[in-house]
Amino acid sequence: MVQSRRIARVVVVLLAVAALGAVGVAAWRRFRARLTANSLVLNETLPVHSKWWRDHAKEKGDLLYVAIGDSAAQGIGASLPNRSYVGVLADEIRAVTGRTLRVVNLSVSGATVELAVRDQLPRFVKLEPDIVTVAIGANDIALWDPVAFERGIREIFAALPSHALVADLPYFYFPRNERKVAVANGIVRRVAAEHGLTVVPLHAETKHQGIPGILTQFAIDLFHPNDHGYRVWANAFAPSLAAQLVERFETPEVVR
């Protein structure tokens, strides 16, 4: 009798564990399905953001700001295209210099380093920008190839003016991805040093946000930043950008 009761309790426990497992699997599947649906919603904004930047690239300005990048530069996940980090930095440039600004955002959603070399670099070399920002490489982590990554980074950095600001890759949260990001950022810093380029500490800035950053700084697909997240990206660029603007351009603060 005692043995039968023990067996019955074990069976009950196993059934409870199985039930909880089934609930967990179902919840995970619902979560993944919702993320997929949310990603599709954001995908619908891709042509909207791209057109917005193309239209605004036609505006004239005293200074020219050119951005190389991917969907983050496009502002996917932001409430408006100009609330991407590129838009926030453009507002900062106008405020610090007191000048009008033309923004040519060469970025393409989904761009890898290789695609940036193919699609963005030929257009970049035809321009003479006063300000340049580069944030590229996050999409390379999915199919990580360090040799191809370094080859592409070398091509891009070799074409940049010495005043260009290049960001390292953002924080990826998961250890498996972070190991790849560490290698990528080592490449970015090493090649940037060879060309005398300033590296913007995007990884440190986004990592500093911690777990609360996941809850408050990502769009509905939990991949792209939201408005708040893009301000964090802009904050990573801000100190180097401000120092450069004051050094290279006559600003209202130093006008006599």
Side-chain angles (χ1 to χ4, degrees):
M1 181 65 70
V2 173
Q3 185 68 18
S4 296
R5 289 177 179 174
R6 288 177 178 173
I7 293 173
R9 284 198 293 271
V10 170
V11 170
V12 169
V13 170
L14 291 176
L15 289 173
V17 170
L20 288 173
V23 170
V25 169
W28 175 249
R29 287 176 177 169
R30 288 195 298 272
F31 175 72
R32 294 286 302 189
R34 184 170 182 178
L35 279 186
T36 299
N38 290 343
S39 295
L40 293 175
V41 170
L42 290 188
N43 283 344
E44 294 177 357
T45 69
L46 298 182
V48 176
H49 284 237
S50 181
K51 183 179 185 304
W52 191 94
W53 287 111
R54 288 197 307 272
D55 290 345
H56 283 73
K58 301 173 185 176
E59 298 176 358
K60 297 185 182 298
D62 299 327
L63 300 175
L64 173 60
Y65 167 28
V66 178
I68 292 175
D70 48 33
S71 57
Q74 286 281 303
I76 303 304
S79 58
L80 294 169
N82 65 331
R83 290 182 180 171
S84 74
Y85 75 89
V86 172
V88 174
L89 293 178
D91 288 340
E92 181 70 11
I93 294 167
R94 294 184 184 100
V96 172
T97 64
R99 303 188 190 186
T100 59
L101 182 71
R102 178 189 176 204
V103 181
V104 176
N105 191 342
L106 299 177
S107 66
V108 178
S109 293
T112 59
V113 167
E114 181 181 9
L115 291 177
V117 170
R118 187 192 73 185
D119 301 327
Q120 299 178 49
L121 211 54
R123 298 169 59 197
F124 177 82
V125 297
K126 297 177 182 178
L127 301 170
E128 296 182 1
D130 299 290
I131 301 102
V132 178
T133 62
V134 179
I136 192 73
N139 291 318
D140 289 83
I141 297 303
L143 298 174
W144 177 236
D145 182 343
V147 174
F149 181 86
E150 180 166 349
R151 182 171 60 247
I153 285 294
R154 287 189 173 281
E155 288 190 60
I156 293 172
F157 286 10
L160 300 176
S162 60
H163 58 76
L165 301 177
V166 299
D168 57 12
L169 274 62
Y171 184 52
F172 266 65
Y173 290 91
F174 299 106
R176 181 181 178 183
N177 285 335
E178 273 293 283
R179 286 191 288 272
K180 300 174 186 177
V181 169
V183 176
N185 285 344
I187 293 170
V188 168
R189 287 189 288 269
R190 175 161 44 82
V191 178
E194 292 174 11
H195 291 278
L197 300 171
T198 299
V199 177
V200 169
L202 180 58
H203 186 270
E205 187 71 28
T206 48
K207 183 177 182 179
H208 180 69
Q209 307 305 308
I211 298 301
I214 299 177
L215 303 176
T216 63
Q217 296 170 17
F218 282 89
I220 57 176
D221 64 348
L222 295 184
F223 180 75
H224 292 94
N226 57 18
D227 289 3
H228 186 185
Y230 281 124
R231 286 203 166 272
V232 171
W233 280 50
N235 288 343
F237 282 91
S240 297
L241 177 63
Q244 182 184 114
L245 294 175
V246 171
E247 178 182 355
R248 296 181 55 230
F249 304 106
E250 189 177 60
T251 62
E253 291 76 11
V254 296
V255 172
R256 295 293 184 265

